[in-house]
């Protein structure tokens, strides 16, 4: 039982690590969301979970079970919540669920948590959950509970971007089901990617506004917002290593998040 | 991509199965809860997920990502929510989360869902989630959405009980971290069980009432409510087979749950 | 004004008892639910209210007004919430209502409350209400608020079961509108029972799962889940006396619930 | 079983009346609230319940179980929610509870409901509950559900006011625990009134604003906002008869509330 | 930057006033609600905002941005929420919004707040918001946060009533879109009133109950509940001056609301 | 009464425009948030309100009262919600408020609404409000209700960016209280800007993660995230004109948002 995964530990071992060793807890935050014809619907869970486990090895931390369902997909960042397969929570439900789980870790004795996000739309609702948890933990007399929230792609360096997108980087916003996520999945779960189905398409272009209900024609038929055709396992490894390295370093160095 | 797991399918394959083939969806409902010194904290997720996958193979169904967090542990059925490691949602949060997910499957076109529960305390709050989802789907014009809810242990036959508990069966209520769950884990994830730490203890006895906040002394120090010492992989296989068989048969035969 | 009923006391007398004498408060939790052709829809209110009053006399306690509406009836324990007459709250509403009322008693100065439940489906939602109230009272600086929750039938002894069900006891689950409740009503409110309409039927049998929306055919036409035909006033008195005695003793003896 | 009280009927009799005879349903809305040194804390329940039953006899209607807990007492109408004994729900909880119950009556087949209110502070939150229920019933295809809400004192005629308050009527706002409620209780439940403890005091005077948290000194020590000393059983009978008569007539005559 | 309006101040100037000078904060509470053919839909915002600013000048206070949307209009006080133009929040939403804003002012350091209400239906839901905010601020250790709530018309003196309604005052309840509000608007925003469209009508008469859904015929066609035809700018000035004077004096004198 | 502001119209004129002329409704969404030492706290309200009014003139639309309070400020986009003066709603409260208001406009007969956002953090919670409103309006039989959501800065063209930021554009994320907002305020409300207090500072740099509770030292002392020193009225006019022009054109041309 040397796993970093909380759910794979007996409670006594968990308690030893979180209470005695003051290990922090990482929570991967994902979604069940279509990611194109060529790929499974779980990259937003698989990627932050894998990153969290690698980071946890590096910094001696624990990894909580991933949130398998996330906030509603938005058309310009995830294709939209009208698509078949995409299975989302109301944002408010996500806020409450993360609030509840954070309060529990605080009750156990954890004082440092990092939320490792893999689904763009989760961020604000996860933030509300964090704010609610901190408020309620303070009401319970726990004043020193601190949470870092990270979207893993924010740790991809300029250098790496140049290598992964040698021609042109069109921005994270249309990277849904594109080179970034596909490469990472080729590295982490190649059996869930079928590159023969990878659509060749130019990046989705959207007007500077959003319409509700979504206009299905806005989303490319594949569900991807840019072409994953140039994704490779090598790029995936590069992306994985740089984000794991970056997040590990950040968590080791951020002074206000060190064990008290 | 011949998985039964929704998250491992591309959305087009998922759509083919759920819309064209009218396959039902199974949702494993678990918890992150201490289960004694000798076992990981995920049996309530591992067991219903494995059962769901085996049933899905039998009846041609799909399996949604498991709910990794469940309703608050109660002292007389799970040791209590004061214990370190047990990480729970408010019951209402669970209701909302299941409501949201069910509504999404209904939106996709699914009309038959089975919730496969592995955590006793989930049942009423999951039920409320189902009732809310059905209400709202009706408001959306979807009148024929039907959900079965199953706690897997209700499919253990009298025959099997006699084999698994040759001396005396003290009832499901104190089977927390006991022979049932430990045997199943020995069958499904032996690497997460360490029988050398299995406590030998008599079944927990509780008064016919419950006190809040919980009285820590009521819960045996191990966190188990009965002794897992007699658990074996063979018993686990037996239990697994009989529940998979029973649930598969039930889902194939319940007339009101057949594809419309 | 020597009543034990809070609502029948002037506030000054209530204050004297709850603050000066530190008397505990009992809250009967009921439901408005069909209980067969032969009986009124209020046994879940009448029975725990009568028990609470008798217990209160025994242990010098106060009785709060009963909750007249309860959580949604479930098919295998109460016939189902699709039946005409059954009038239920969402589980979450019940949680909030009990939370509010408990917080009020805590504000008044009460530190020991017993929730005396008469409707099976209330239990988990009442529990959530208790947990929320204790949490919020702690936030308000009230750390020693303790609540016992009791379903009265859990105090029927084996001895009594043998006398009341001389042939065979088929379990509490199908005792809806059966011998237990009918006998108690014959003892407490005979005018609300018409034994000439008592259905003779074998105990309802259900599969080991539940379907939503409910399948009306599953519920016996009477609404009872077992036959009340053998109910008598004598059995009712026996049941009443044994539960009153058992609950009184428990509340007098549970060390952590004694007045601080 | 010729009661008008729903909870005292078997479900089949209830169904006959509400579905076949299209009888309307009256819901008494009360509170558990201090009403002075001389009187029990239940006038807001006792009075509207008695009125509802008498009206139901007159117009052939059904009476639902009273709401025993109401919205938070306000200082200038009920003495304030800081007082010992007063036991209130959050307004939102009351809204949800009434919403749930109204939806249930609509599901049964009732199309005309009258909410008979006995606690001033309930009105707006009950109104929100009614609005929510009507909205959701419409979503369920029930378009003709109509609710009347009545505060019983609004049916006291000018004539009666002159008889009951021969000197001067200081307004309903300070009639908390005063002549109106005390007289009605002397008529309905004389055993719950002790006129020897009735405070002689001039009507409470409040500034034209309200302060939170309440200023305890604003509320007269008795908890009454005006003197009940001139209350008599005769006045109670007069008040009871005039409100029962008025409400019965209104419900019989309001064209939009007649059975469809 | 000598404004009293918080939104027109830089945060440092705001901080100086609220923290260093301990200035109280006034929050105007309004609505977007039809007020007759002759007048804009914003009197419930314009009037309390203007009053708040004048009072703030008098007592050295700050004015927060007005709440532009209020609780649902009721037929007997505002014509009803079925009318075109009237744009309301659920009462619960209003409670939450005011709770949030009050908590923020408490976090900044404000300890005295006055809610200046201009829309009758807001009062109970605003009260619930105040109660929730005070509860949560106490949980955060802020024990001395005090809020006064005022409906401005409660400061119109008997003297002024006689001058403004020389013939007969029919009560505040039917003053919707009548002389009071129209005169005040003629004084404050004459460009938003067109007296040529002022309906001449007798005061609306309602039965002593309310029906839901509203009965459109109950509301006079203009939307006004009494005639504004006798409104004048002079009356408006009189009303404005007397309420500003009265509120200023009250806030300066209420001992429990003075700066701590 | 030729205003485009809904609150300045009589309800009959509003009805004429929204029902007869099928004019769309624009809702400015703002916040009360610190914007540096040199500027008032209302730019997020002032700017989208002014833009909305100008757009409304161009496309014949109506403007609803602005939302004066917005979602909680985040440190990397608005300085953080720990700052004095910043006064925010919980995200969920904002969702409910916008849901309520949108449902009302739908009830009136409006079928096209544009939400014009001025506060970055509002976007996801406003989106949830829109999704909830559309869901509930569908339940009410209104199937053709469409909402566009716009953050005005997304209509600043590349050309304009080059003119406004001749040296280097550091991105919208640190434009809080910087050249964009300050120039617009100099154009729209110069009296609320004091350029002598405009801080000269380099753009705020943040790590690629966020910490909760916020680390005050991360936010520049001024509260601005970039220097407003180069703001001018001319740039403000340029920015205003280009956004008004862009939004007007978009709303006139988006085929799915044209009047039905």
């Amino acid at each position: 039982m040397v796993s970093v995964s909380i759910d794979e530990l007996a409670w006594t071992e968990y308690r030893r690590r979180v209470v005695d060793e003051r290990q922090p807890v990482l929570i991967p935050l994902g979604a069940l969301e279509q990611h194109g014809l060529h790929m499974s619907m779980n990259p937003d869970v698989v990627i932050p979970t894998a990153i969290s486990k690698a980071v946890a090895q590096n910094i001696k931390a624990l990894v909580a079970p991933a949130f398998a369902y996330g906030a509603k997909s938005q058309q310009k960042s995830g294709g939209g919540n009208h698509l078949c397969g995409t299975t989302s929570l109301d944002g408010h439900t996500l806020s409450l669920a993360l609030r509840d789980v954070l309060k529990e870790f605080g009750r156990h004795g954890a004082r440092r948590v990092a939320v490792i996000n893999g689904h763009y739309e989760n961020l604000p609702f996860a933030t509300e959950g964090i704010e609610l948890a901190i408020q309620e933990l303070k009401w319970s007399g726990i004043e020193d509970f601190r949470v870092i929230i990270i979207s893993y792609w924010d740790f991809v360096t300029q250098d790496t971007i140049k290598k992964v997108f040698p021609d042109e980087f069109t921005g994270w916003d249309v990277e849904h089901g594109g080179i970034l996520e596909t490469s990472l999945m080729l590295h982490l779960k190649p059996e869930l990617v079928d590159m023969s189905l990878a659509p060749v398409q130019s990046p989705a272009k959207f007007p500077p506004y959003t319409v509700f209900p979504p206009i299905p024609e806005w989303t490319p038929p594949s569900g991807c917002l840019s072409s994953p055709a140039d994704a490779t396992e090598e790029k995936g490894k590069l992306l994985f290593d740089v984000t794991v390295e970056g997040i590990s370093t950040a968590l080791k160095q951020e002074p206000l998040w060190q064990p008290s």
Side-chain angles (χ1 to χ4, degrees), chain A residues 15-221:
Chain A
R15 187 180 57 180
R16 193 185 64 75
R17 296 201 207 169
V18 86
V19 177
D20 302 349
E21 299 202 351
R22 313 191 73 68
Q23 289 191 15
V25 173
L26 313 186
I27 309 177
L29 222 60
L32 180 60
E33 190 187 27
Q34 71 77 23
H35 274 78
L37 314 166
H38 68 298
M39 195 158 57
S40 57
M41 295 199 283
N42 59 5
D44 292 358
V45 177
V46 166
I47 299 169
T49 303
I51 290 174
S52 296
K53 288 188 181 172
V55 169
Q57 297 285 5
N58 286 346
I59 69 164
K60 265 197 133 181
L62 293 156
V63 179
F67 276 53
Y69 301 94
K72 288 191 286 286
S73 177
Q74 295 302 321
Q75 196 156 21
K76 290 160 70 174
S77 48
N81 214 68
H82 58 296
L83 294 173
C84 189
T86 297
T87 308
S88 311
L89 303 176
D90 277 15
H92 182 54
T93 304
L94 178 62
S95 299
L96 294 181
L98 186 57
R99 177 202 64 174
D100 291 355
V101 167
L102 288 170
K103 283 171 63 184
E104 288 288 67
F105 288 129
R107 176 176 64 75
H108 300 160
R111 289 296 175 269
R112 301 291 179 265
V113 176
V115 174
I116 309 296
N117 180 39
H119 176 62
Y120 179 78
E121 290 86 343
N122 283 342
L123 207 70
F125 298 103
T127 295
E128 176 125 322
I130 293 168
E131 292 164 333
L132 292 173
I134 288 178
Q135 174 180 259
E136 297 190 22
L137 287 168
K138 276 194 187 153
W139 291 342
S140 294
I142 296 176
E143 307 263 351
D144 57 340
F145 190 79
R146 292 200 190 124
V147 183
I148 278 184
I149 187 161
I150 286 172
S151 289
Y152 71 84
W153 51 83
D154 288 333
F155 280 83
V156 179
T157 57
Q158 284 304 316
D159 245 34
T160 312
I161 288 179
K162 272 178 209 149
K163 286 180 199 153
V164 173
F165 304 91
D167 298 338
E168 189 200 4
F169 176 54
T170 44
W172 290 132
D173 40 347
V174 292
E175 258 311 304
H176 182 78
I179 293 174
L180 173 85
E181 293 179 312
T182 306
S183 296
L184 279 161
M185 287 296 282
L186 281 170
H187 177 57
L188 297 169
K189 293 265 182 188
E191 70 276 20
L192 298 180
V193 187
D194 178 349
M195 286 302 289
S196 75
L197 295 173
V200 179
Q201 60 183 62
S202 42
K205 283 195 194 318
F206 297 107
Y209 54 83
T210 306
V211 183
F212 294 89
I215 303 175
E217 293 70 32
W218 279 22
T219 306

Side-chain angles (χ1 to χ4, degrees), chain A residues 225-241:
Chain A
L225 299 189
S226 60
S227 175
D230 291 338
T232 65
E233 191 280 332
E234 288 71 30
K235 290 182 179 176
K237 183 173 185 330
L238 196 65
L239 286 160
F240 184 71
D241 290 346

